[in-house]
Structures are given as structure tokens and as C-alpha cells.
Amino acid sequence: MASRLSAISSVTPDIVATAELSVETKGAGFTDITRETTRFLAETGGRDGAVFLYLQHTSASLVIQENADPDVQHDLATALGRLAPENAGWIHDVEGPDDMPAHVKAMLTGVSLHIPVARGALSLGTWQGIYLVEHRARPHRRIILMQFIGKGR
Amino acid sequence: MASRLSAISSVTPDIVATAELSVETKGAGFTDITRETTRFLAETGGRDGAVFLYLQHTSASLVIQENADPDVQHDLATALGRLAPENAGWIHDVEGPDDMPAHVKAMLTGVSLHIPVARGALSLGTWQGIYLVEHRARPHRRIILMQFIGKGR
Amino acid sequence: MASRLSAISSVTPDIVATAELSVETKGAGFTDITRETTRFLAETGGRDGAVFLYLQHTSASLVIQENADPDVQHDLATALGRLAPENAGWIHDVEGPDDMPAHVKAMLTGVSLHIPVARGALSLGTWQGIYLVEHRARPHRRIILMQFIGKGR
């Protein structure tokens, strides 16, 4: 296997910073929260370390995906809809036909992730954006806990 | 997009605490480990930071999901069974027909996650529980490494 | 539920170390990066804490899975191919028929994970390996950001 490991940069951690981001979704689909995450990082003064995002819900999720072509987000939602269709004989249906599929989609895509931080910036890849994905049909207010662990300015 | 970022609370990290949780599963299904995670956190003395959970296996996984209606867990297991059925012509079948589906389910749901901690409590959403999900048919002993990174009391 | 929590071991964090691993994949499939992760950890001098891995791409992912039987990796790739087939009427097809399936597979398996570290070693389970999974048909150069947060020697 052809691989190369760069030099290591090392600092002493001196901050754990936490804030809460509240987002109003417009119903099923992707909401880009990259700008909000960048703003959080700037306000913490975090320079080197990592940002940790956690979503306090079970029918929405957090996903890092392509930010260039909106068709990708549309196709990703279609893919999830095929993996967890509404009319699949779910036992849990008291909250509506879109509820159980939403739980399955959230389980498959997750509510916890991190992004490295270097020199005060998120180390996202060129085509990566951070998305809150709403899996319920109707708009919801969703809470994301944002944390920075590392060295401040 | 309608969103709101709260004020930031910041502390200095002074603890990395680690322990091992051993769980006897009863065969395929969800085991709630929220209480055990809360107990771990209390014993570390962790106040502000995050708990990191890691499962040392490849045919079980860790999932944050609904803790209110047990039917949800049943339907989630059904969904995974449809995505990774036993009779799908798997090449790897020496460990039994439930083994390869178990690996696929573990890959899709993951073995690594974190939960934020504020004022000594896990910042779980109202309806969130932490689950060890056994994907093998028979009971297994599973090991979860629990860590707290942050500020202690 | 039968469970047992071990004694807690606690240290003071004094390092956040970061490096970049560049890997040339050979096209779709699993590349074992366990050795590279171990080497990174050794070079940081990290003793107790956790390693965090982050992949800067949206059509490849990071997976912890079985390292014993190569057939498992083959079956895992087959499973992903069934969940996200090429001829599924994707709207986004300008980058080739394997591109949109690759995004779906990356979304389902993720680009962010951690592995605990104890006494200078990765706390992987007996059968666990760390894999970069290429979802595009052709070879690509992929970047993984590796970090250690914890206590050094």
C-alpha cells in the first residue's frame, strides 16, 4: 500500500468550549450548518484540536457530504427513502407513517461526529459540508450541541 | 435558515478517565446502557466535556435511539434484518448464517460515538437512550471502553 | 441486565497531536490502515487518551471491521453495492455511474471515528482492523487527518 504520514504538530489542550445551536428545519431534507459550525469555532477562540457535534434527536441526523451539486443531497434523501420506506409494515406507527422510517434513517446515519481544527479553521475536505438531515416530513426545531476540545489562541 | 447559537461556556480540561464496561447480551436485540454510562460518568467525577464510547467488536454496535416505545427497537432490528438478510449468498459463512449479516449491520451503525457532558450530566435529548445492539443470534459478552475527556469537579 | 464496570483509570491531558495520512487506493475496496494508525500514535508519544480519525472525502469512508477473513471485506462491499446500486435512476450522474452510489455508501458508513488508547497502544478488539473504504471504481488519493488527544509519555 502506498501511503505517506506527514510530520506531527503538537499542542497542549487548554479549552473545552460548549454551545447549543438551535435550527428550524423546513421538513425532510438537508440543512447546511457549515457556516454555523465555523461561527461557533471562531467564538470559542479554538485554534488546534477538534469540533464535536451531537444532535439531541432520534428522527434526524448529522452527515458530512458533498456541498457542490444539490442533486447529490436529493439523491441521498432518495436512497434513504428506499432503505426505509413508509409502507413497510412498521409496528410503531402512532406518530405517523414518516416517524419509524425517520428513526431508521437516523440510526443508519448517526447523531455524533467530529471535524479536526487546524490554525483556527475546520479541516473539511474541498467538497465537504456539514449537514443536519431532517427525516420527518414536517418542520422541526432541532438542537445540536457543539464543542471544541483543544488549544485556544 | 432560521438558527440561533447560544452563549459559549468554556472550561480547562484536566481529566481523561477510562473504564471498561462488560455486558452480557441475551442474543440479537437492543440493550440499554444509559444507566451504566451515567454511572461511569459519576465515578469519573467529570463535570464538563464529553463521554466517548467504543465497542471492541465487529458483529454488534452502539446506537443512540428512542427510549420511549419498545416497538421502535423492534422495528429498528427488523429494518436492519431487511438491509442485511441471512440468505443473501454471503461468501463468509463459516461462523453461521447470522454472522455475515451481523458484520454488515455493525458496519452500517458503527462502534464509536460521543455524548456531551454539562454540569456532570449526559446531555442526551429527551427521548434518547444509549444502546448496545447485539447482531448475533446467540448471547455474547461484549466490551465497551468508556472515556471522559474534560473538566472534573 | 448482567454488566460489570471496571475500576477507572484517570490522567491529565497534555497533548493534542495532529498529522495527515495520505493513502493511494487501488479502486473500490478496503485498505487496512491499522499499521499507519499505530505508527502515528507511536510518533505522537500518546499514552492514554484516544485517537480520532477523519476522512476529507465524500465518496470513501472509515470503517472498523473484521481483520481475519478477507471474505468478510468482500461481502461487506457486496452488501453496500446492493444498498446503493449503480442503475437506480440517480439524478446526479455527471461524474460517472459509480459516483452517486459512492456518496450513499460514504453517508451510511461515515468519515469520523475514534479508538481509545491505553498505555501507548490502540484499544482495538481482537478481531478489529481500521479500514479506509474506497467507494469509487478507480484509484484515488485520500487524506485522513489523525489526532491524538490525551496524555503523552
Side-chain angles (χ1 to χ4, degrees):
Chain A
M1 170 182 128
S3 73
R4 200 178 64 81
L5 183 65
S6 75
I8 287 163
S9 116
S10 198
V11 298
T12 303
D14 59 6
I15 298 182
V16 174
T18 305
E20 190 179 296
L21 178 71
S22 163
V23 178
E24 310 281 345
T25 69
K26 293 176 177 171
F30 285 62
T31 299
D32 191 333
I33 58 165
T34 311
R35 186 175 303 192
E36 286 70 20
T37 309
T38 298
R39 186 183 145 209
F40 162 74
L41 175 61
E43 295 197 4
T44 66
R47 188 172 155 79
D48 292 289
V51 163
F52 296 87
L53 302 184
Y54 181 82
L55 180 69
Q56 286 189 317
H57 305 275
T58 61
S59 54
S61 54
L62 297 175
V63 166
I64 306 275
Q65 260 295 335
E66 230 229 32
N67 61 4
D69 178 0
D71 284 347
V72 171
Q73 293 160 33
H74 185 277
D75 281 342
L76 290 173
T78 299
L80 288 172
R82 287 171 182 160
L83 298 177
E86 294 204 354
N87 56 348
W90 307 113
I91 298 173
H92 174 82
D93 62 2
V94 290
E95 298 176 64
D98 64 319
D99 186 60
M100 195 57 226
H103 289 306
V104 176
K105 294 169 187 179
M107 175 179 64
L108 294 175
T109 51
V111 297
S112 150
L113 56 79
H114 82 281
I115 303 117
V117 169
R119 290 174 298 283
L122 295 170
S123 297
L124 290 166
T126 311
W127 308 109
Q128 287 184 324
I130 311 167
Y131 295 92
L132 164 63
V133 191
E134 176 63 68
H135 301 303
R136 298 301 308 272
R138 293 197 191 173
H140 279 73
R141 181 168 168 268
R142 303 300 195 176
I143 304 294
I144 297 160
L145 289 172
M146 303 188 144
Q147 300 187 287
F148 171 77
I149 300 180
K151 179 165 178 50
R153 276 188 289 262
Chain B
M1 170 182 128
S3 73
R4 200 177 62 83
L5 183 65
S6 75
I8 287 163
S9 116
S10 198
V11 298
T12 303
D14 59 7
I15 298 181
V16 174
T18 305
E20 191 179 296
L21 178 71
S22 163
V23 178
E24 310 282 345
T25 69
K26 293 176 177 171
F30 285 61
T31 299
D32 191 333
I33 58 165
T34 311
R35 186 175 302 193
E36 287 70 20
T37 310
T38 298
R39 186 182 146 209
F40 162 74
L41 175 61
E43 295 197 5
T44 66
R47 188 172 155 80
D48 293 289
V51 163
F52 295 87
L53 302 183
Y54 181 83
L55 179 68
Q56 287 190 316
H57 305 276
T58 62
S59 54
S61 52
L62 297 175
V63 165
I64 306 275
Q65 259 296 334
E66 230 230 31
N67 62 3
D69 178 0
D71 284 347
V72 170
Q73 293 162 33
H74 185 279
D75 281 342
L76 291 172
T78 299
L80 289 172
R82 287 171 182 162
L83 298 177
E86 293 204 354
N87 56 348
W90 307 113
I91 297 173
H92 174 81
D93 62 1
V94 291
E95 298 176 64
D98 64 319
D99 186 59
M100 195 57 228
H103 289 305
V104 175
K105 294 169 187 179
M107 174 179 65
L108 295 175
T109 50
V111 296
S112 150
L113 57 78
H114 82 280
I115 304 117
V117 170
R119 290 173 298 281
L122 295 170
S123 297
L124 290 166
T126 310
W127 308 108
Q128 287 184 323
I130 310 168
Y131 295 92
L132 165 62
V133 191
E134 177 62 69
H135 301 304
R136 297 302 307 273
R138 293 197 191 172
H140 280 73
R141 180 168 168 269
R142 303 299 194 177
I143 304 294
I144 297 160
L145 289 172
M146 304 188 142
Q147 299 187 288
F148 171 78
I149 300 180
K151 178 164 179 51
R153 278 189 287 264
Chain C
M1 170 183 127
S3 73
R4 200 178 63 81
L5 183 65
S6 76
I8 286 164
S9 117
S10 199
V11 298
T12 303
D14 59 6
I15 298 182
V16 174
T18 304
E20 190 179 296
L21 178 71
S22 163
V23 178
E24 310 281 345
T25 69
K26 293 176 176 171
F30 285 61
T31 299
D32 191 333
I33 58 166
T34 310
R35 185 174 304 192
E36 286 70 19
T37 310
T38 298
R39 186 181 147 211
F40 162 73
L41 175 60
E43 295 198 4
T44 66
R47 189 173 153 79
D48 293 289
V51 163
F52 295 88
L53 302 183
Y54 181 82
L55 180 69
Q56 286 189 315
H57 306 275
T58 62
S59 54
S61 53
L62 297 175
V63 165
I64 306 274
Q65 259 296 334
E66 229 229 33
N67 62 3
D69 179 359
D71 284 347
V72 171
Q73 294 161 34
H74 184 278
D75 281 341
L76 291 173
T78 299
L80 289 172
R82 287 171 182 160
L83 298 177
E86 294 204 355
N87 56 347
W90 308 113
I91 298 172
H92 174 82
D93 61 3
V94 291
E95 298 175 63
D98 64 318
D99 186 59
M100 195 56 226
H103 289 305
V104 176
K105 294 169 187 179
M107 174 178 65
L108 294 175
T109 51
V111 296
S112 150
L113 57 78
H114 82 280
I115 303 117
V117 169
R119 290 174 298 282
L122 294 170
S123 298
L124 290 166
T126 310
W127 308 109
Q128 287 184 323
I130 311 168
Y131 295 92
L132 164 62
V133 191
E134 176 63 69
H135 301 304
R136 298 301 308 272
R138 293 198 191 172
H140 280 73
R141 180 167 169 269
R142 302 300 194 176
I143 304 294
I144 296 160
L145 289 173
M146 303 188 143
Q147 299 187 289
F148 171 76
I149 300 180
K151 178 164 179 50
R153 278 189 288 263

